[in-house]
Amino acid sequence: MFHHVKDLQFNARVSRPDPYFANLLLEQFGGENGELAAAMQYFTQAFGAKMPHPDKYDMLMDIATEEFSHLEIVGATIQMLLKGVNGELKDAADQSEIMQVMDGKAAKENIIHQALSANPQFGIITGGGVTPRNSQGIPWCASYIHSNGDLTVDLRSNLASESRAKLVYEHLMKFTDDPYVHESLSFLMTREVAHYKMFEAALNDIQPNFPPGVLASDPRFTQQYFNLSNGATVRGPWNEGEMPDMGKEWNYIADPLAYVQDTQGITATDKTLDKELKQAQKLDKEMSEMRSTEVKNSEPEGVSEWSNYNAPKK
Amino acid sequence: MFHHVKDLQFNARVSRPDPYFANLLLEQFGGENGELAAAMQYFTQAFGAKMPHPDKYDMLMDIATEEFSHLEIVGATIQMLLKGVNGELKDAADQSEIMQVMDGKAAKENIIHQALSANPQFGIITGGGVTPRNSQGIPWCASYIHSNGDLTVDLRSNLASESRAKLVYEHLMKFTDDPYVHESLSFLMTREVAHYKMFEAALNDIQPNFPPGVLASDPRFTQQYFNLSNGATVRGPWNEGEMPDMGKEWNYIADPLAYVQDTQGITATDKTLDKELKQAQKLDKEMSEMRSTEVKNSEPEGVSEWSNYNAPKK
Amino acid sequence: MFHHVKDLQFNARVSRPDPYFANLLLEQFGGENGELAAAMQYFTQAFGAKMPHPDKYDMLMDIATEEFSHLEIVGATIQMLLKGVNGELKDAADQSEIMQVMDGKAAKENIIHQALSANPQFGIITGGGVTPRNSQGIPWCASYIHSNGDLTVDLRSNLASESRAKLVYEHLMKFTDDPYVHESLSFLMTREVAHYKMFEAALNDIQPNFPPGVLASDPRFTQQYFNLSNGATVRGPWNEGEMPDMGKEWNYIADPLAYVQDTQGITATDKTLDKELKQAQKLDKEMSEMRSTEVKNSEPEGVSEWSNYNAPKK
Amino acid sequence: MFHHVKDLQFNARVSRPDPYFANLLLEQFGGENGELAAAMQYFTQAFGAKMPHPDKYDMLMDIATEEFSHLEIVGATIQMLLKGVNGELKDAADQSEIMQVMDGKAAKENIIHQALSANPQFGIITGGGVTPRNSQGIPWCASYIHSNGDLTVDLRSNLASESRAKLVYEHLMKFTDDPYVHESLSFLMTREVAHYKMFEAALNDIQPNFPPGVLASDPRFTQQYFNLSNGATVRGPWNEGEMPDMGKEWNYIADPLAYVQDTQGITATDKTLDKELKQAQKLDKEMSEMRSTEVKNSEPEGVSEWSNYNAPKK
Amino acid sequence: MFHHVKDLQFNARVSRPDPYFANLLLEQFGGENGELAAAMQYFTQAFGAKMPHPDKYDMLMDIATEEFSHLEIVGATIQMLLKGVNGELKDAADQSEIMQVMDGKAAKENIIHQALSANPQFGIITGGGVTPRNSQGIPWCASYIHSNGDLTVDLRSNLASESRAKLVYEHLMKFTDDPYVHESLSFLMTREVAHYKMFEAALNDIQPNFPPGVLASDPRFTQQYFNLSNGATVRGPWNEGEMPDMGKEWNYIADPLAYVQDTQGITATDKTLDKELKQAQKLDKEMSEMRSTEVKNSEPEGVSEWSNYNAPKK
Amino acid sequence: MFHHVKDLQFNARVSRPDPYFANLLLEQFGGENGELAAAMQYFTQAFGAKMPHPDKYDMLMDIATEEFSHLEIVGATIQMLLKGVNGELKDAADQSEIMQVMDGKAAKENIIHQALSANPQFGIITGGGVTPRNSQGIPWCASYIHSNGDLTVDLRSNLASESRAKLVYEHLMKFTDDPYVHESLSFLMTREVAHYKMFEAALNDIQPNFPPGVLASDPRFTQQYFNLSNGATVRGPWNEGEMPDMGKEWNYIADPLAYVQDTQGITATDKTLDKELKQAQKLDKEMSEMRSTEVKNSEPEGVSEWSNYNAPKK
């Protein structure tokens, strides 16, 4: 159950209207890396996490709720950046001033002209208000979020999401010199870093957490690096020497076409790996049983009930 | 700023897994008439309402927050209806039972078979979890919501949204006989009716509220009903007698093609309407000024600040 | 069966090219509140209405056809506002003038420069023509329309659609001072008001029409107003006194968290409502039977045939 | 201006309900190759064609209007195939029969069970009605249509569209044995062939019509066939001998990588083509001037007016 | 299996940054008629063609691979046109210069200002890089491509796709005067013409290839032209005289409404066509058997294997 | 420049048709975590990486090309799983067998029935072929991919993408018992793990790489954990003790509402952090200069040229 408090989590202020920046800022309201995307990603992940991992559920809900609160900060800022637009639109019978503006005569000073140039829908659809779309008008879409029912995967998705969100705030900060707005962006950007660290700590808390999911990798196909893009080839730690934390060496396939031909489409592989393959399969079974049992045991027999209204509260 | 309480607003319970119904119920999680759509619609409308109409802002935020709380109820119910799927997926190394199921041998009893039939992504993408998509897998999209910066329009959008949401719950109730789920649906359906009444009361509270927006209708084009679909024509209160609450009569154009030809594309209209047209234009000006002033006066001079942390709290 | 007459319903004219306004006007061609959306909404609703409600079917088809005719007016206006662009594009071998324009040297006078600034696709995709997209290039999408197989719901969706369409025309009128275009917009805006009144009359003609759909609301959950957004709380007719036309009082829940806790997730409700609940259930059954019979009786036994070519025509 | 006649263009009939086929048929109502796509494609193309090519405008509007009429036939058929569903949904208080069906006990005979399996939204969103979505629930989208302001391109788009639409009807005919439905599909499929021939005749009527658009191809890059997919290579009329109607031979580049290297990225090409290149550029200028003049001359000076209400009618 | 060579197929060069043109050029990277669309269309068609038509499979894969190579050329050009943007964004702590630019003081000379105006996401999302979206920010979408499992249809889709792509390059060439970019565009435009000719030759190579698909048209519905758009009617080769290559005459229906009424919805058609109908049905059967056998015979019995690693290579 | 070799990278084989699994497998052809998404993500990232990081460019292109090769393996497998469908569709004149199947009489044995149930478009749109859509028919969309012009961000996006792709293959392996298909899936799943390790090694190779982007986090907002989701609260390494690799402690805000109130919306923060803030700002400037210079220096003066055809090849 949610509850709303009219105070913003951060004291968002705006020195003066700036519809142009309002439009850029829409990226973080209704864009692919924005606050709604973050909030909905962690919120949906939380449902699946609740039973087997009530501690991670608590964390995901805490952060999801903070992201909803950030969504509100971003929306409030956009609304304040559009001050004047709605009032001007309500003066519906009078178009004289607007038309002057459209001719460029009064453009510099006129907010409504800036609003229309930045985003036509500010003037004709949203009435100078906020909308869950990005800076080019694309409606927010649930394809932006990832929730896959496995914490070793979900938490990695979150590390990537926080990284992108941080970068977008960093970029946005270059495009406003309003010190109040700058401070709000600094707050929001930094919270993405803080969340990153929370998710990193939570992922470390699950062991083993690699590979993501349950199954081990197949030893026959794990070590090859295929040099499929020729020209000036470069070697680096991603294709020579040791694989990170794997106890294995990279196997650099310099001529992948010949390799594929020679191995009959990689089906005729090294027999010495057979033993390792069997071990991997054994590990897969044990891991499967462990993870499966963990989930199944956490689910109640019979009627499911989400909340326990008699539980002692904090 | 949002706050989350782990108790659900309504005590959602589920008697037994039912992936088939879980998929239907996705309509109200991530569908066009679902709880996320309602929550986001009222939430975005609230930003624009805050300044000129703090009372309506309060109402919109109250209801938006309740819709977020309903979203949680729906998600929790879907998650409980999918009990067993995630655990089964975690048993990744063992496919024997699944394949039996795929052949239909154990279909009746097997949850994972039902999950895959109802929604392939339950088995391969969401890991038996909830996702903001509808019953056919379409990702939730911000095109579902309407927020137009004018309360006489927004509140009417909300009356329509609540009507559709109510109907979808009504339909859903036919497809489950789980008494716990039925009770949750009855709660959710009824709340849509309650919200409808809140929005109706709020709309009545704004006077005048018709036509929506600011401008009056143009008297030259207001009264015609064009009979553009011939065959067996029917007359009814929508094309004969008095227009509702308008003090005018319908003007039934039986042969629109001839009418358009005769009136030079409706530009050669009745001269007797000229006086009425002038009155409408005068009214437009007054109304424009009133509504425009109302908004402009509510916006602060200088720096905008969303929250006042020193204000006395309720 | 449709028929097309080359005359426009309204005599759309344009004084001079204005690609900038052409782009804004796309909102009403291919936007969420535009004429295509209206036409397709009423057209699809008409199919379901035909059998039980031939009179409403007639009205829906009349208005749908008028909206298709308005779509043509909007398209013709956009095309005329883009005069010159296509001809310039056909001069494909010569880019000298364009490049001058791109440098801003001849910008003010040059239509093609305006066209590209307003909408890049005018210059490179549509060849200076009309396209069912909105002012930001989003392709029209059937998610914009609502057709739910129940007239008490569909007609309410239509009241909202007409309200939004009216407001968008009102906004658009502020951004052109071409008197011909202004007159066309005034016509189109006013027709939305006229349609509103038609739908209102049709909804009144169905009794009872509340709640939308068939089922009554559950008396246990109907009256509560949850004060979920705290801070400066406001009371108004939407949360105190009588609910509109319900014969009931609002029940203001000042502290929803405590209420939910106390009522075990609102499952432990007032026993005095049991009698009312039984009455509601009885009413539900009667209403269900009535509405179901009405539809079933209107459907033919055996072979279905949509048209009767031997019926006497008006 | 459109007009609607209640008679369908073809006498669509249905022997018995078949929700499963109703869902397949949605492809031609709201799918990528369906009637709405065809109607909107030709309708939008018509606007641009009107001025320079009033004869092609007439043809495009005739066919667009026929496609709207086909859309109605498809919609009517879907509605009749869903007979019974809406009536059953209206029986909202009674779920006993449905639940029996859900258990499979009465599945064979029960329409609503088929409706839900074929398309969950038939039962919970559309109320057993038609919707502009495809057989998998994807909302119709304007990305399906092409209108590029050049008839030599648009007419080729139409030949492709008609080909795909014809094929889809052919496929659909395999999945129904209702003779009435079969007859309607045969009508609709055949009309696509007829339209194909109309567009072909219209394209032939424009000379020259190749290459599409205005500019000639650059002789330096016209004749090469790059053998970029090696393995078992095949030669055929598309890479050896004469290019169709071009008076040129294919130039088969057996080893594209070496060729690109040798020609410095195809910039060091055969000097003997210089003369041909100059000729092409001269032709480009002439063609540009001709096509540009054609369009510009057809556009009126001063005020644009779409219709002439005083013109003599056919 | 794909292989990448770092050399571009064409030596793409750029004289100076031009973010404005970079945005226009996105149409051919991630737009509906762009290189990704072409590559994916031919690539997916190739899978179905492989078995019955290995020669056409070879051609489709050759051209698909060339289109991927063109995608790389377009992407490289966009990246070079955005030179400076990414470096400027990395100077994240310094916003002084940007803000000067935002005020228009240094606008003419400043790349980042142009980048933001042309496409806000260049500055805040892509970091001055390429993205599979169009010039208005719409993400590339698989609805752009057509692959229907029938070469007589697919090749016609390709003729249309190449025509549109050619036209877009023609349009783009008007908006840059960079001679290097112009040359790359001339190369890319011309290759579309060359591909057109390849597809034309391949279609001619299949006989019969009309109507597309397998079934003949129904003689009862083939010849009518419905004059559904009245006003000034025009006759032309698409509605009078002989149908192209059909050995039949157009049947011009001047008054379609009366015709439909008289023929009972076109069900009461000319009895003299019965013989022709029977012949068409006989032809359908023969053609069906032939085409069906062709495909079935090409598919292996038992285990399917895509590649034969022991086959002799070219 | 790309080159295609007809041999698949892995020897994909299929024991018998299985349209049901073909549909599930579409997730990895045209789904959000599939091979096209991976290929396009790394391909677009490569453009931006080329100049400052030619070694990472080489790696990204190698892996992108491998993903295109995997896309081909997945497509080939789907095509083989649909063996028989296209041939059956070509038998267009004969529907007898299909109808038998539709009645369920021959369902078990019949491929086309399975194809239609699994995915209606297999039967009516794709002709039994592959299509870039997911298992529920959603067209592939560029919103799935992330390319942000900063390697510390892009590589983290890739770690998440590979994690999700690995999990989806793991899930898919549960739903087929065809040993050949199983082997292909094991190959594809394992390659995702190998790519994960490559990206991890590449990210480690960039120092410093945290926070992602350029700017340091703001010390005033870095350490707080907001306990926004109350009920049973849990403490763990994500909200108590040391933050991972940050040299700082978590600051657990048990009552965020009071905290926000007390700190005036977190603007009145600890003065002791001022020194740290100044240091962060100094670091920001240095880092900005370093990263900006790195990019700018790598870009050529004057004309940009992507390839150097005279460079010595590997």
Side-chain angles (χ1 to χ4, degrees), chain B residues 145-203:
Chain B
I145 74 171
H146 296 284
S147 174
N148 297 95
D150 186 295
L151 277 177
T152 64
V153 171
D154 282 354
L155 291 168
R156 284 181 169 94
S157 291
N158 299 356
L159 294 175
S161 298
E162 295 291 349
S163 300
R164 292 193 296 266
K166 190 269 181 183
L167 185 69
V168 174
Y169 279 121
E170 181 174 311
H171 286 163
L172 282 168
M173 287 169 77
K174 279 197 74 103
F175 300 109
T176 176
D177 61 354
D178 181 330
Y180 287 126
V181 176
H182 213 268
E183 187 133 316
S184 298
L185 296 176
S186 187
F187 169 74
L188 293 164
M189 181 191 82
T190 297
R191 293 308 297 160
E192 312 296 14
V193 179
H195 295 163
Y196 185 103
K197 284 292 162 187
M198 294 168 199
F199 292 130
E200 186 181 355
L203 182 58

Side-chain angles (χ1 to χ4, degrees), chain D residues 71-304:
Chain D
L71 183 67
E72 191 185 16
I73 293 170
V74 174
T77 304
I78 293 169
Q79 193 73 38
M80 292 188 285
L81 287 164
L82 291 169
K83 188 170 75 176
V85 176
N86 192 290
E88 200 60 50
L89 287 171
K90 290 280 185 291
D91 198 359
D94 178 19
Q95 69 189 26
S96 57
E97 193 194 358
I98 298 286
M99 293 320 298
Q100 235 187 350
V101 168
M102 304 290 278
D103 285 352
K105 282 181 199 148
K108 278 268 162 236
E109 297 75 27
N110 199 289
I111 292 303
I112 205 164
H113 176 266
Q114 285 181 38
L116 263 185
S117 304
N119 182 335
Q121 295 202 332
F122 282 159
I124 49 180
I125 296 291
T126 73
V130 73
T131 175
R133 311 202 162 198
N134 76 2
S135 64
Q136 295 192 295
I138 317 291
W140 190 89
C141 164
S143 296
Y144 298 160
I145 74 170
H146 295 285
S147 175
N148 296 94
D150 186 295
L151 277 177
T152 64
V153 171
D154 282 352
L155 291 168
R156 284 181 168 93
S157 290
N158 299 355
L159 294 174
S161 297
E162 295 291 350
S163 299
R164 293 193 296 267
K166 190 268 182 184
L167 185 70
V168 174
Y169 279 122
E170 181 175 311
H171 286 162
L172 282 168
M173 287 168 77
K174 278 196 77 103
F175 301 109
T176 176
D177 61 355
D178 181 329
Y180 287 127
V181 176
H182 213 268
E183 187 133 316
S184 298
L185 295 176
S186 187
F187 169 75
L188 292 164
M189 180 192 83
T190 296
R191 293 308 297 161
E192 311 297 13
V193 179
H195 294 163
Y196 185 104
K197 285 292 162 186
M198 294 169 199
F199 291 129
E200 185 182 355
L203 182 58
N204 291 341
D205 197 48
I206 302 171
Q207 289 302 335
N209 66 29
F210 191 85
V214 172
L215 300 181
S217 65
D218 187 322
R220 296 169 296 172
F221 314 125
T222 304
Q223 292 165 267
Q224 297 96 331
Y225 182 97
F226 292 90
N227 175 35
L228 279 162
S229 165
N230 71 5
T233 286
V234 189
R235 304 296 298 267
W238 50 87
N239 63 22
E240 74 181 349
E242 215 172 310
M243 297 176 75
D245 306 316
M246 291 283 277
K248 292 172 192 248
E249 299 275 320
W250 290 112
N251 175 15
Y252 186 80
I253 312 291
D255 184 348
L257 274 52
Y259 177 84
V260 164
Q261 192 73 35
D262 292 349
T263 58
Q264 295 278 316
I266 323 190
T267 50
T269 45
D270 193 352
K271 291 290 167 200
T272 63
L273 292 168
D274 282 4
K275 198 176 145 196
E276 203 180 331
L277 178 58
K278 286 224 172 87
Q279 283 175 330
Q281 287 165 342
K282 187 158 163 285
L283 186 67
D284 282 353
K285 275 192 192 153
E286 290 166 9
M287 190 74 173
S288 291
E289 203 180 311
M290 189 185 93
R291 285 284 163 86
S292 180
T293 306
E294 184 183 57
V295 176
K296 287 173 180 171
N297 285 355
S298 74
E299 293 174 332
E301 299 280 320
V303 172
S304 300

Side-chain angles (χ1 to χ4, degrees), chain E residues 1-3 5-8 14 58 69 72 83 86-87 93 125 140 142 148-149 288 292 300 302 304 307 309 313, chain F residues 1-3 5-8 14 58 69 72 83 86-87 90 93 125 140 142 148-149 288 292 300 304 307 309 313:
Chain E
M1 185 180 186
F2 286 94
H3 199 240
V5 180
K6 290 207 182 67
D7 292 330
L8 294 178
V14 161
D58 181 73
S69 303
E72 192 185 14
K83 188 170 74 176
N86 192 288
I125 297 290
W140 190 88
N148 296 95
S288 291
S292 180
S304 299
S307 309
Y309 296 92
K313 306 287 153 172
Chain F
M1 186 181 185
F2 285 94
H3 198 240
V5 180
K6 290 208 181 65
D7 292 331
L8 294 177
V14 161
D58 181 75
S69 303
E72 191 185 14
K83 188 170 75 175
N86 191 289
K90 289 280 184 291
I125 296 290
W140 190 89
N148 296 95
S288 291
S292 181
S304 299
S307 310
Y309 296 93
K313 306 288 151 171

Side-chain angles (χ1 to χ4, degrees), chain C residues 1-3 5-8 14 58 69 72 83 86-87 90 93 125 140 142 148-149 288 292 300 304 307 309 313, chain D residues 1-3 5-8 14 58 69 72 83 86-87 93 125 140 142 148-149 288 292 300 304 307 309 313:
Chain C
M1 185 180 185
F2 286 94
H3 199 240
V5 180
K6 290 208 182 68
D7 291 330
L8 294 177
V14 161
D58 180 74
S69 303
E72 191 185 15
K83 187 170 76 174
N86 192 289
K90 290 279 183 289
I125 296 290
W140 190 89
N148 296 95
S288 291
S292 180
S304 300
S307 310
Y309 296 92
K313 307 286 154 174
Chain D
M1 185 180 186
F2 286 94
H3 199 240
V5 180
K6 290 208 181 67
D7 292 330
L8 295 177
V14 161
D58 180 75
S69 303
E72 191 185 16
K83 188 170 75 176
N86 192 290
I125 296 291
W140 190 89
N148 296 94
S288 291
S292 180
S304 300
S307 311
Y309 296 92
K313 306 286 154 174

